Structure formats: structure tokens, C-alpha cells
Amino acid sequence: MDGETFGQVLRDSRRKRRLSLRKMQLLTSYDFTYLGQVERGEKNGSVELAAVCDRALGMDGTLVEKYRRASAPPTPAPLEDEMLRRTAIKAMAATPLAFVDAEQRAGHEPQVARLEHQAEIYRHLYHGASAPADLLTLVHDHLDDAAHLMRDLSDGDLKRRVLRTRSEVATLAGRLAFFDLCRPTEARGYYGLAHESATQTGDDLLAAAALGHLAFLPAAEGNASAAVDYLGGAAQHARRTGMPIVQSWIAAVESEVLTPVHPAGTLRALEQATRLLAGPADDAVPAWFDYYSGDRLDGFRGRALLQLGRSDEARASLTSALRGLGPGAVKQRAVFLFDIAASYLGSTPDVDRACALAGDAAATLAIAGYATADSRLREFRGQIRAWDHTSAVVEFDERLGALTA
């Protein structure tokens, strides 16, 4: 390694982990063409790049050390330096893990730690991923790596850690397959793997998450009974976790499942979700449970009320949910905007306002592809068909055309 340049070490390390440059782009937020230029020696890189790649590849500071030992690169142009600095800060914030001294590690510990570290990166990438199919490929490879590693592990703490990580990542894969890419058959397999891994390691929280997500599949097929059965299993796991927020999420999912078939049950489920969310927790909620909160409950409530024809109440809940979203929640923002737009088509329609909001949602959807939001777009377009002759709808269609051109 001493005779190699920083770029050569980066390239060799990436290839050893079977990562393409495009996958490295997903992991680091650096453009793949720039990464290739650094590897070929056409650009010098930076210590920030070295740190980000170090974390992404789990190299315990090796790349940073190599970069610092290399001859000092020329000072980049101010604009390029600022762009690279901002990109590096963003990527490093996405992976806030400290370096670990390699000499203190032994056996399979580094591989297990790397799997856990990568799971954290994937979780961060999910909410704003503009290329969900690419991220799913990366996540699928991670699951394969976990399976290979488990063959070499005996029962014990390391194996339990791999099982927990595999369950978390398999649930994430299921979400990508179902919500982002509309591939329910793939999603079913991933959620099944997540539940299997969670039960094998005795993690009720992960098991509840897997079954709760699995309920969305039969619900989408109109099979509310099967969905409720899955939620019943999820609730049993959740009650053993000592985390009311998980039970609240399951009740919120039940409200969505029941809306088309049992309005009264929907409202009871929302009341239960609200009550549970206010309850004290025995333990801290794990970082991977990042898809539910009071704001997300407002989103569930708003969607249910919208489908029940209570447009004004729905709009209030959805607007509250939208305000609570972080800047990185691009996909959910598009969904909430479409639902708010639809709320303006109630008993006293405001088609201009509805189309303006739906246009904003479509612009957001163009940034981050998301099958769930895309289905909301098709639903909204069907709802405004009666106003096709109006200027608001004509302008909306023109805006859609410009976004997809």
C-alpha cells in the first residue's frame, strides 16, 4: 500500500467490497464521475473525501492516513472546494460513527461492525433516495453478505448482531420494494426474511416492524382480514417491547387498513394510536424506527379523514403533518402534498388551489421517485377529470408535461 497513490488504494478497497462507482456515489454522496477521476489520479481528492470513503468502506481511518501521507494536493479552486466541502459535510453527517482502532479488533468483529455501519448509511439514504432501484441493489447485496458471514459464525453475540442487522435491512428492502418500486412480491420475501431473523434472535421490536409492514401488502389487494391478522401478530410482539410508540404505529397502520371497509374501526384505531403515543416508554426508541412520530400519526389521520369525506379536518391534520417533516423527508412530503391538494376537492371545491398544491407535489416527486406518491398523483388526476376544461387543470397538465419531458 505504501507505493500506491490515494486513488489506487481507494479503487482497490472499493473493488474488494464489490462496489461499483455508482454504488459508492450512493454511499458517499460524491458524484461517481468525480470518484473515478480521483481513483485514476486525474483529481487529487481531499481529506474530507478520504474521511467519507473511510466510513463508507469501514476502513478504520486507513484512507485518511494514506491521504495525509501523500504529497499535499494543489489548493482547489474556491468554488470546487466549497462544493466538495458541503458534499463531504452532508455525507459525514449521514454517517456519524467514530473510527475504531483496527488493532483492537479480532476475528469477525470488523465484518459485523461494517454491516451495522452500512445499515445506518442505507437508512439515512432511504428518505431522500432519488434512485430507489439502485439503493435496493445495494441493500440486497448487504443481505447476501450477512448470509455469507452467518455461515462462519457460531451462536453468540456476533451472530445475534448480524441477525438484528439483517432484520433491519430486510425491512428497509421491503419498504423500497413495496412503497418505492411497487414490487409487492419482492417486498413479501424481504419482510418474511426480516421477521425470520428477528424471531431467531428474539427481538420483538424488529419482529413487530416486519409484521406491521407486511400488513400493507394484503391491504393493497383489498384483503383487510389478512392485513389485520398480521397486525395482530405485530401487536403481540410490540406489547413485549415496553415501547408504546410501536404499538401506536401498529394502531395507525390498522386505521389505514380499515378505512375502506370499517369507518368506525378506523376512528377507534386512530384514538388508540393517539392514546398510546402519549404513553411513557421503558427504553429509548432505536434509531432505525424513524418512520413514525406524532407528525406521521397526523398523516395517517389526515389520510383516513380524507377518505371518509371529512376534507376540512383532513386538511388540518395533513398540514400539521407536513410542517413536522424534516428537510430530508422528500418522499413523504410529496404524499402529504397530494393528499392536501385532494382535500380542496371536497364539498366546496377550490380547483385552483388543489392544482397548485398538486403541482408542487409533482415537482417534489420528480426529485425522488416514489411509487406511493406516484399512485397519489394518478388518484388526484382522476379526481379532477370533471374540471378538465378549466385553466387550472390545463396548467397542471402542462406542468406535469414539463416535469416529465
Side-chain angles (χ1 to χ4, degrees):
M1 185 179 289
D2 288 339
E4 294 179 303
T5 66
F6 167 71
Q8 290 170 329
V9 174
L10 175 59
R11 179 194 59 206
D12 292 344
S13 302
R14 171 180 63 80
R15 288 178 174 175
K16 284 179 183 178
R17 289 157 178 79
R18 305 193 303 278
L19 295 173
S20 68
L21 283 168
R22 287 187 181 275
K23 289 182 179 178
M24 278 296 289
Q25 175 177 295
L26 280 171
L27 288 171
T28 64
S29 296
Y30 279 92
D31 185 78
F32 74 95
T33 55
Y34 173 71
L35 292 169
Q37 289 170 335
V38 172
E39 290 186 353
R40 294 189 298 272
E42 297 168 9
K43 288 190 180 291
N44 294 305
S46 65
V47 70
E48 291 92 348
L49 170 69
V52 171
C53 292
D54 238 330
R55 293 172 183 247
L57 297 173
M59 294 189 63
D60 306 323
T62 302
L63 287 174
V64 170
E65 181 182 353
K66 179 63 183 178
Y67 183 85
R68 285 174 172 161
R69 284 208 306 261
S71 56
T75 302
L79 178 59
E80 179 184 14
D81 182 59
E82 178 61 19
M83 290 174 64
L84 295 180
R85 185 178 303 278
R86 290 184 180 184
T87 301
I89 291 172
K90 177 182 178 183
M92 291 176 73
T95 57
L97 295 180
F99 294 135
V100 182
D101 185 355
E103 294 180 355
Q104 296 178 352
R105 298 195 168 206
H108 294 290
E109 167 67 22
Q111 295 167 278
V112 175
R114 185 175 300 122
L115 287 175
E116 294 170 333
H117 172 45
Q118 288 172 340
E120 181 180 347
I121 296 173
Y122 302 150
R123 184 174 66 248
H124 177 83
L125 290 172
Y126 173 78
H127 294 287
S130 58
D134 290 342
L135 182 56
L136 181 57
T137 298
L138 203 61
V139 168
H140 184 92
D141 289 345
H142 181 282
L143 294 173
D144 284 344
D145 290 342
H148 289 308
L149 179 57
M150 286 214 307
R151 296 190 187 105
D152 299 329
L153 295 175
S154 57
D155 291 339
D157 181 61
L158 286 181
K159 189 168 186 176
R160 285 191 292 272
R161 285 168 58 188
V162 174
L163 284 167
R164 284 193 292 269
T165 301
R166 184 168 75 160
S167 180
E168 175 190 337
V169 173
T171 295
L172 180 61
R175 294 173 67 195
L176 281 163
F178 183 70
F179 296 112
D180 292 62
L181 299 169
C182 196
R183 300 177 187 172
T185 302
E186 284 185 48
R188 193 179 299 274
Y190 286 128
Y191 291 145
L193 176 62
H195 184 252
E196 172 192 312
S197 301
T199 54
Q200 189 174 349
T201 194
D203 193 311
D204 282 305
L205 185 55
L206 285 165
L211 287 179
H213 279 95
L214 194 54
F216 284 104
L217 276 68
E221 299 168 352
N223 189 350
S225 177
V228 170
D229 285 344
Y230 281 128
L231 291 172
Q236 288 183 13
H237 285 294
R239 282 192 288 271
R240 293 194 287 264
T241 66
M243 293 186 188
I245 188 173
V246 182
Q247 296 173 262
S248 175
W249 171 70
I250 293 168
V253 175
E254 184 178 12
S255 75
E256 182 169 322
V257 167
L258 292 177
T259 301
V261 296
H262 193 348
T266 295
L267 298 177
R268 281 197 298 271
L270 287 171
E271 290 173 1
Q272 182 183 21
T274 303
R275 185 174 64 256
L276 286 165
L277 191 60
D282 294 340
D283 296 298
V285 179
W288 58 260
F289 193 76
D290 59 355
Y291 42 81
Y292 186 71
S293 62
D295 300 315
R296 296 301 176 92
L297 175 55
D298 282 337
F300 276 104
R301 180 181 291 107
R303 176 65 176 172
L305 292 171
L306 182 64
Q307 291 183 299
L308 294 176
R310 296 161 61 169
S311 300
D312 291 344
E313 295 172 77
R315 189 182 312 127
S317 290
L318 290 164
T319 301
S320 175
L322 185 65
R323 282 198 300 264
L325 289 180
V330 180
K331 302 172 183 179
Q332 201 62 44
R333 182 173 301 277
V335 171
F336 288 164
L337 280 172
F338 277 127
D339 283 345
I340 294 172
S343 76
Y344 281 96
L345 300 175
S347 56
T348 54
D350 185 345
V351 180
D352 288 354
R353 180 62 175 153
C355 287
L357 284 167
D360 292 344
T364 303
L365 179 58
I367 297 171
Y370 191 42
T372 301
D374 190 52
S375 69
R376 293 286 213 278
L377 170 57
R378 293 193 300 272
E379 180 182 303
F380 177 80
R381 188 59 189 83
Q383 291 172 325
I384 60 173
R385 198 164 303 282
W387 294 281
D388 275 354
H389 61 284
T390 65
S391 60
V393 175
V394 171
E395 290 173 8
F396 174 69
D397 285 341
E398 290 175 350
R399 189 173 181 185
L400 283 183
L403 289 170
T404 56

